[in-house]
Structure formats: C-alpha cells, structure tokens
Amino acid sequence: MAGGLFALLDDVAVLAKAAAASVDDVAAAAGRASVKASGVIVDDTAVTPQYVQGIEPKRELPIIKTIAIGSLRNKLLFILPAALLLSQFLPVALTPLLMVGGTYLCFEGVEKIWERVSGHGEDAAGKAHDEGQVADEKTITSGAIRTDFILSAEIMVISLNEVKDEPFVTRAIILAVVAVLITVLVYGVVALIVKMDDVGLHLAKGDGARAGLGRGLVAAMPKLLSTLSVVGIAAMIWVGGHILLVGLDELSEYWSPLHHPYEWVHHAEEAVHDATGALGGVLGWVTNTIGSAILGFLVGAVVVAIMHVVPRKGGHDEAAADAPAADATH
C-alpha cells in the first residue's frame, strides 16, 4: 500500500515537472514572439495616446480601458482563430501574408516621415484642433479599435510565425498569452503616459523636490511622446524590412533571384562580425538592422509614392472639372 502511494506521488511529481516545463516553454515562446513584434508594439503604444488629446481628463482612462477591451476582443475572438486555422490548413500562405503586413508597416513608417517632411498630416491635425473639432467618445473608441485591429493582426501573425512549428494546442495557448500580455503592456503604458502630466501637475503643487519632480514630468511629456513617435517609425521600417527580407529568402525556393537581398545583407553582417572582434555580435546585428531598414524604406517609399505622390486619373479629372468653375467666377 505504501509502495503504491509512493509510486503515485512519484507519478504526480513527474507530471508536475512536465507541466512546469511546458509552462516554461510556453512563457519562453511567448516572450520570443513578443520581442519579434516589438516594432508594432512600440508604434501601437505611440499612436494610442493621440486618441485622448483634447478629452476631459477624467474620461481619459475610461476611454483607454474601452479601447484595450476592444483590442483584446479583436485578438482573441477574431484574429487568433483565423490565424490558427490558416496555420493549420494553409501554412504556405503565412509567408505571403506576413510580407503583406511587412509592406504595410514599411508604408506606415515612410508615410509618417513624408507627412512630417511635407507638413501634410500636421496641417490637417492643426486645422482640426484650431477649429475645435473633437470627436465624441464613441467615434474615438471605434476609430482607435479599427486602427488597433490592423496593428493587432500584424502582431499576431508575426508571433504565429515564431511558433508555427509548435503543436496546434501549444500554438493557441502561446498566442493567447501573447495577446493578453501585449494588450496589458501596451495599454498599461499608454495609461501611464496619458496621466503622467496630471501626476506631474499634482506633484508640482507641493514644495521642494516634489514640486521639481512634478514640473519635470510635465515638461517631459511632450518629449516622451515625440521620442516614442520617432522610435515607433524607425521600428516599423526596420521590422517591416526584416519581414520582407526573410520572406523573400523563404520564397526563393520558387524563384531563386529572390534570395539575393537576404544574401547581400547576410554577407555584410558576417563580414562586419568577423572584422570587429569582441563587438562582432552587436555590430553584425546593427548591420543586419540597417540592411533591413534600407529595404523597408525603399519599399515604403514606393508605396507612399503610389498612394500620395504620383498623380491619379481621378485627381486630374477633378482638377479639370474645377478649372472651368473657377474661371466662371471671374
């Protein structure tokens, strides 16, 4: 009887160790997947605070909470099942789908640069602000959740690509963990950023070091948002370019010339790694990052040119239609 009890306890211990190992594996895989999606995460964190600008302070956190719930619903109820089914029954589509998302990231990053250089986006935002146009909460949250859907889809597909060789159930668990983890991380940070100036104003009413800290937080808020925006843009272009680089290499089995971009960047990375000794690992990674960013910028620039710069037929037609009307007023 005692022997049977000890055997049972031993089996329980073995199962516990196996379960612990599985939890560790899931946590490690979720961590790797989250890191790979870092560019989109940073952009999501940088974009969201803009939705509560001009909103009454007491409504900021409720709005962010609503957006966060909508984001989690997007990931768990819509994106996750679709991604799992695709990976299970049509895995060959993952690389092209990932590359479409990578192209979108490159476009978003370069488009933001173009808007800053041309002043187009800033002018539109400034005009709306000057005219006192502040959308209602329902419009704000629905617009934010729609934008988040695109970013969340990209995060989940990137994460799925990292665990595509895992069993189906393990994949589902890892992606669910990633969905919850990233949502909590992004919107937790967003909430802290949004309320940072309020905390600063509260502290600034005190004396001495407390007041100095408060003024510092208030002064740091615009700089933090600006830095996040720049980092988000750079991360989108780099991550998007790297996705395209790896995707082209994977598709080269169908058409060998597609391997060349990856080969060039990889050779440059190896050359820098071998030539720089102790710093080889870091500088090699920097070289790969620069190569990915260059490809991402070039692809993004082409898409931006197609979408914004190259004149369209409709634009010419509208200009031609406006010309007689303008002449008739003189």
Side-chain angles (χ1 to χ4, degrees):
M1 183 73 176
L5 177 60
F6 284 125
L8 176 61
L9 292 176
D10 186 55
D11 290 342
V12 170
V14 170
L15 288 173
K17 289 179 181 178
S22 297
V23 170
D24 288 342
D25 290 343
V26 168
R32 290 195 304 271
S34 300
V35 168
K36 283 290 185 179
S38 59
V40 195
I41 295 170
V42 171
D43 182 59
D44 207 0
T45 306
V47 166
T48 307
Q50 300 173 14
Y51 288 103
V52 293
Q53 289 183 357
I55 296 298
E56 192 177 356
K58 68 179 182 180
R59 297 301 306 159
E60 290 175 343
L61 291 183
I63 288 175
I64 291 172
K65 179 181 177 181
T66 301
I67 298 172
I69 293 172
S71 174
L72 191 59
R73 185 172 60 245
N74 283 342
K75 293 183 181 77
L76 294 180
L77 298 184
F78 302 108
I79 301 171
L80 176 58
L84 286 173
L85 289 174
L86 190 64
S87 68
Q88 187 70 17
F89 299 107
L90 195 62
V92 70
L94 279 178
T95 295
L97 184 61
L98 199 60
M99 291 178 72
V100 170
T103 302
Y104 174 78
L105 283 178
C106 297
F107 162 68
E108 279 281 291
V110 176
E111 183 184 45
K112 290 181 180 181
I113 294 175
W114 179 79
E115 286 178 349
R116 291 190 178 194
V117 172
S118 66
H120 177 74
E122 294 178 1
D123 289 344
K127 182 178 179 182
H129 183 271
D130 292 340
E131 294 176 355
Q133 297 177 5
V134 179
D136 61 273
E137 291 187 15
K138 186 175 181 181
T139 302
I140 290 170
T141 54
S142 60
I145 291 170
R146 280 196 302 271
T147 300
D148 179 271
F149 186 91
I150 299 172
L151 296 173
S152 293
E154 188 62 18
I155 289 169
M156 297 300 283
V157 172
I158 292 172
S159 302
L160 175 63
N161 193 57
E162 287 302 301
V163 297
K164 61 184 178 182
D165 296 327
E166 299 288 343
F168 183 85
V169 175
T170 304
R171 252 180 291 153
I173 294 172
I174 290 172
L175 290 179
V177 170
V178 168
V180 174
L181 176 66
I182 288 177
T183 302
V184 171
L185 174 64
V186 167
Y187 289 97
V189 171
V190 167
L192 289 174
I193 292 172
V194 166
K195 302 308 292 184
M196 189 173 78
D197 54 349
D198 291 340
V199 173
L201 287 172
H202 177 73
L203 293 175
K205 295 176 181 178
D207 299 322
R210 181 179 176 181
L213 175 61
R215 289 191 294 270
L217 287 175
V218 174
M221 180 69 171
K223 297 177 183 177
L224 176 61
L225 289 175
S226 178
T227 301
L228 270 177
S229 178
V230 172
V231 171
I233 291 171
M236 279 193 296
I237 295 173
W238 156 52
V239 172
H242 188 71
I243 290 171
L244 292 176
L245 199 64
V246 174
L248 288 172
D249 181 55
E250 292 181 2
L251 293 179
S252 65
E253 62 177 294
Y254 304 107
W255 190 43
S256 58
L258 293 177
H259 176 67
H260 293 323
Y262 180 88
E263 185 179 24
W264 296 333
V265 173
H266 184 63
H267 284 337
E269 179 183 1
E270 286 187 333
V272 171
H273 180 278
D274 295 339
T276 51
L279 295 176
V282 174
L283 295 179
W285 177 84
V286 170
T287 302
N288 186 289
T289 299
I290 292 173
S292 299
I294 291 172
L295 175 62
F297 184 84
L298 292 175
V299 171
V302 170
V303 180
V304 167
I306 294 172
M307 297 297 294
H308 293 294
V309 180
V310 176
R312 301 182 187 181
K313 183 178 179 180
H316 288 301
D317 292 342
E318 290 173 6
D322 290 341
D327 292 339
T329 61
H330 293 289

